Amino acid sequence: MIYLDNAATTFPKPDSVWEAVVDCGRNSCGNPGRSGHPLAAAAAREIFAAREALAEFFNAGDSSRIVFTCNATMALNTALYGYLTDGGHVITSSMEHNSVMRPLHTLQQQGRITLTVVPCSPRGELDPDDVKRAVQADTRLVVLTHASNVCGTIFPVADVKQRLPEVPLLVDAAQTAGALPIDIVQSGIDMLAFAGHKGLLGPMGTGGLYVAPSLRLAPVMQGGTGSRSEDLAHPGFMPDALEAGTPNVPGVCGLHAGVRFLQETGVATVRAHEMSLTRLLIDGLAGHDRIRIHGPADPARQTAVVSVTINGRDPGAIARSLDRDFGIACRASLHCAPLAHQTLGTCPEGTVRLSMSYFNTLDDMQQAVRALHAIAEQEEA
Ligand SMILES: Cc1ncc(COP(=O)(O)O)c(C=O)c1O
């Protein structure tokens, strides 16, 4: 199988990731912070080491500002519901994933926030000046994806922050953590939600949220933390404030191994390889008169996510044919981002999304190009 569904979750992961999961299960799988015995202490050390590694990886400073979650969705909900307790005006874009849009829609429907959705170009590009123009006296938050999960368009999040230093910025880095360099301090990001199981190469069931020291979030969940057990009030200090319940210790160990792999390989090397794959795929598909590429169609302006349609063909049928006839795994339809497809003009059918990782090869791209050409030509016959 050629796996081109890495925007959903990366596959394969480095062997070191699964080795770390198994090693944790065998040697350090106590409940961290709950007990004083060696197994619990070993688990606490593993969690701390992973937190430190992520803080270094994102240049986040104090590692206690990073909390572990089950995925990017949980990180985004923790940020949105935890920060917007007093309501206010929120700005987002027309390229967001449902993990941003659904909580914002709910808060808006409940009358708790007002919302401006800044329209993006038909290639999914955001103009930072449009975000600035949307600001109102009571704007409390700007929420933006770092790159579209539909067509890969990279958003100028640091430019937005430069124009609006006074408004907190929440960045959805589900598609970019591990794939693009992210420097929290330099770019002025106030909250960063990330998936552990995509570009960071960790197991599913992992993710996290960085929260700047200037922000205090109300906990969405409260419960056991192992700290201040005598107190009926949930602790207000980080990371415990936003980490209730037993953490996914084996998953976090795997995530740490994924981050170690990226630190050893270098995100720049990963990015360069993924850009060559994207270039090969785009160049191979661009010349065919029945195949249309959606998004920037420029590896420098997108992640390794390429969305295509073939005139008159159903994206679901194309994906089924890629799977059945060519052994290529990808994803079709709306990719949990209906507004993004409205923006790109690909509603209601959506697109066929091919998404690469560091482990794909140039040969994978050539096979994908040949397969899509064959499907496009079959239809013509
Ligand atoms: C841009 C974006 N945001 C959020 C999510 C949700 O991530 P998770 O599946 O880790 O909850 C995804 C998942 O594909 C995504 O692409």
Side-chain angles (χ1 to χ4, degrees):
M1 175 189 58
I2 297 175
Y3 183 80
L4 297 181
D5 196 16
N6 290 282
T9 196
T10 46
F11 179 88
K13 318 281 184 189
D15 287 345
S16 58
V17 167
W18 301 121
E19 283 157 12
V21 172
V22 170
D23 184 61
C24 169
R26 292 205 169 118
N27 300 310
S28 40
C29 223
N31 203 327
R34 272 55 172 185
S35 320
H37 56 73
L39 220 50
R45 278 196 300 275
E46 294 289 356
I47 294 280
F48 180 74
R51 218 188 289 283
E52 287 275 297
L54 280 158
E56 187 190 326
F57 188 73
F58 292 130
N59 191 24
D62 175 5
S63 71
S64 74
R65 304 306 303 182
I66 290 180
V67 294
F68 289 112
T69 61
C70 296
N71 44 45
T73 302
M74 185 175 164
L76 288 161
N77 275 262
T78 301
L80 294 170
Y81 283 101
Y83 180 67
L84 294 169
T85 45
D86 296 328
H89 173 241
V90 178
I91 301 172
T92 191
S93 87
S94 70
M95 290 301 289
E96 303 303 315
H97 189 275
N98 276 341
S99 296
V100 166
M101 288 314 300
R102 286 181 171 168
L104 288 179
H105 175 73
T106 301
L107 286 165
Q108 187 189 30
Q109 292 294 107
Q110 291 171 343
R112 291 160 68 186
I113 61 163
T114 54
L115 183 64
T116 299
V117 179
V118 174
C120 294
S121 80
R123 288 173 178 231
E125 296 144 326
L126 176 81
D127 181 345
D129 289 325
D130 287 346
V131 180
K132 186 163 181 178
R133 280 189 279 275
V135 170
Q136 301 176 5
D138 65 339
T139 301
R140 281 214 77 211
L141 186 67
V142 174
V143 190
L144 294 174
T145 190
H146 193 193
S148 162
N149 65 308
V150 176
C151 61
T153 315
I154 298 169
F155 269 26
V157 290
D159 293 346
V160 169
K161 187 63 191 180
Q162 228 173 19
R163 283 164 177 73
L164 294 173
E166 68 291 354
V167 185
L169 172 66
L170 165 60
V171 173
D172 173 0
Q175 290 298 328
T176 54
L180 297 181
I182 296 177
D183 187 317
I184 286 176
V185 170
Q186 208 180 24
S187 50
I189 293 168
D190 299 283
M191 290 187 274
L192 184 88
F194 58 90
H197 61 101
K198 301 185 197 257
L200 291 177
L201 303 172
M204 278 182 265
T206 62
L209 176 69
Y210 160 81
V211 183
S214 56
L215 301 183
R216 194 182 161 91
L217 271 56
V220 172
M221 285 197 301
Q222 304 181 341
T225 55
S227 56
R228 302 266 166 88
S229 290
E230 73 289 356
D231 199 342
L232 285 183
H234 192 79
F237 55 85
M238 291 282 278
D240 299 28
L242 302 179
E243 273 183 2
T246 299
N248 176 6
V249 184
V252 169
C253 287
L255 171 57
H256 187 182
V259 170
R260 260 196 308 258
F261 176 89
L262 290 166
Q263 282 169 326
E264 282 158 17
T265 307
V267 173
T269 305
V270 171
R271 173 73 179 140
H273 180 63
E274 292 188 358
M275 279 175 74
S276 347
L277 298 172
T278 309
R279 158 81 56 216
L280 203 60
L281 189 58
I282 288 172
D283 287 353
L285 297 175
H288 199 291
D289 59 357
R290 305 206 73 206
I291 299 176
R292 184 149 171 236
I293 301 171
H294 302 273
D298 175 357
R301 288 158 60 218
Q302 67 186 86
T303 54
V305 172
V306 176
S307 245
V308 299
T309 46
I310 298 179
N311 286 358
R313 294 292 302 267
D314 168 48
I318 299 169
R320 276 193 299 281
S321 173
L322 283 171
D323 178 22
R324 190 190 52 223
D325 306 325
F326 300 94
I328 295 174
C330 67
R331 182 173 170 190
S333 190
L334 294 179
H335 316 99
C336 303
L339 287 190
H341 282 282
Q342 277 176 27
T343 307
L344 300 172
T346 47
C347 261
E349 295 84 6
T351 55
V352 178
R353 183 184 73 180
L354 308 169
S355 52
M356 288 70 81
S357 86
Y358 183 63
F359 296 106
N360 285 113
T361 62
L362 300 181
D363 183 60
D364 291 345
M365 298 301 93
Q366 280 154 357
Q367 292 200 48
V369 168
R370 277 199 294 272
L372 282 163
H373 277 222
I375 292 171
E377 277 143 32
Q378 260 167 25
E379 214 280 329
E380 255 174 343

